[in-house]
Amino acid sequence: MHRLYSPAQNISSVQIIVDNKEQVHHARDVLRLKIKEKVIIFDDKGIEYCCILEKILPQSLVFAIWEKTAPGLKEMEKIRITVACAIPKASHMDGVIDKLTQLGVERIIPMETERVIIKLDKRKKILRLKRWEKIALNASLQSHRNGFPVIGPVKGIREVLSDAQGFDLKLIPALIGERESLRETIIKSNPKNILVLIGPEGDFTQEELDFAKSRGCLPVSLGDLVLRVETAAVAAVSFIRLYADS
């Protein structure tokens, strides 16, 4: 069954209006949905609706709700992962957003650090954020994920850590200094809400690493190989998922 997204504000007790231009185009011109055809629509709260297409209007689609499914207990008990990722060069952040969305990350924060090569001005930050949100939505639809991650505004590492209350585990994979085993750290701490900081090409500076440690971040190792930013982000989240379920 085809899947679409609608914000909760467009959902009533009996019907859903999909009026996002790209969603309407995808449903009408790509999927070629017909009247009375069944689809699944999810909202930004992780609620899933089984619907029937009632009306095809020039700029919107109207669906009748015939079944509503809230997130199950098992889904709610899953660990929550936030990734603050240094912005890699070229357009590799697009891939980071796409892959982390598929892996179920709850929040992604594009991060500027001392050694980040890409420096975005205010206009480019706004444009990139819109692009990344679109990528996250498409990845959520493709992976049959209910809901999609919050893509935060670009922040510096100090700003990220100043707003990092509420996590029961904060990790910073690093290439230098004393580091713990990621596997042992996850297993012994049994965390439910995790923050992971991913550094840029060239890693964090010693000053950044010291600051992160002063804010409660634990340096961990992802292995002996030096990974690209996008690879490190995917590897860290994949390892956490694996170890948390072991």
Side-chain angles (χ1 to χ4, degrees):
M1 197 179 298
H2 297 303
R3 296 174 65 86
L4 297 171
Y5 162 77
S6 177
Q9 65 189 33
N10 285 8
I11 301 174
S12 70
S13 59
V14 295
Q15 73 175 20
I16 298 176
I17 297 175
V18 174
D19 57 6
N20 176 274
K21 183 178 179 180
E22 292 187 356
Q23 289 275 287
V24 172
H25 165 70
H26 181 69
R28 185 178 57 203
D29 304 323
V30 179
L31 300 180
R32 297 186 179 277
L33 293 182
K34 307 297 182 184
I35 297 296
K36 295 186 179 180
E37 189 166 353
K38 295 179 181 179
V39 300
I40 293 175
I41 298 178
F42 67 90
D43 66 12
D44 34 22
K45 297 179 181 179
I47 299 175
E48 202 173 69
Y49 303 84
C50 293
C51 305
I52 297 175
L53 179 57
E54 279 193 327
K55 297 179 183 178
I56 301 177
L57 304 175
Q59 297 182 14
S60 64
L61 304 173
V62 180
F63 295 86
I65 298 172
W66 60 278
E67 188 177 11
K68 172 180 174 181
T69 306
L73 180 60
K74 185 176 181 181
E75 184 72 22
M76 295 174 66
E77 289 178 344
K78 286 184 178 179
I79 59 171
R80 299 160 57 192
I81 303 175
T82 295
V83 176
C85 183
I87 301 173
K89 55 188 176 182
S91 59
H92 296 307
M93 193 67 190
D94 294 0
V96 171
I97 301 292
D98 179 83
K99 300 301 187 297
L100 294 186
T101 298
Q102 294 182 53
L103 287 168
V105 168
E106 183 176 81
R107 184 179 180 86
I108 304 169
I109 306 171
M111 184 169 62
E112 290 184 341
T113 67
E114 186 67 27
R115 292 174 177 159
V116 162
I117 296 173
I118 302 296
K119 303 292 184 181
L120 303 175
D121 58 28
K122 185 176 180 180
R123 176 178 173 275
K124 287 185 177 179
K125 286 179 180 179
I126 294 173
L127 292 176
R128 291 288 180 90
L129 180 58
K130 290 181 178 178
R131 174 181 175 83
W132 293 332
E133 288 175 338
K134 186 186 300 183
I135 290 171
L137 174 56
N138 290 335
S140 295
L141 291 167
Q142 182 273 326
S143 60
H144 286 204
R145 172 178 173 173
N146 288 348
F148 52 91
V150 174
I151 311 298
V154 177
K155 293 183 178 181
I157 185 172
R158 291 181 177 271
E159 189 179 3
V160 170
L161 291 173
S162 296
D163 298 334
Q165 296 80 22
F167 295 99
D168 48 23
L169 182 63
K170 291 179 277 190
L171 302 174
I172 181 166
L175 299 173
I176 57 176
E178 187 174 337
R179 294 159 293 163
E180 294 186 7
S181 161
L182 177 58
R183 180 178 183 275
E184 292 177 1
T185 300
I186 295 298
I187 291 175
K188 73 181 180 182
S189 59
N190 190 29
K192 296 301 180 185
N193 194 8
I194 304 173
L195 171 66
V196 184
L197 272 64
I198 302 295
E201 289 88 352
D203 203 15
F204 295 103
T205 64
Q206 186 62 56
E207 181 183 1
E208 289 170 336
L209 186 56
D210 290 341
F211 177 74
K213 290 164 66 175
S214 74
R215 291 303 180 108
C217 292
L218 297 177
V220 293
S221 172
L222 296 180
D224 297 330
L225 300 176
V226 178
L227 306 177
R228 296 183 187 273
V229 175
E230 57 271 27
T231 307
V234 172
V237 174
S238 300
F239 290 154
I240 290 170
R241 292 284 188 206
L242 174 64
Y243 300 147
D245 291 337
S246 62

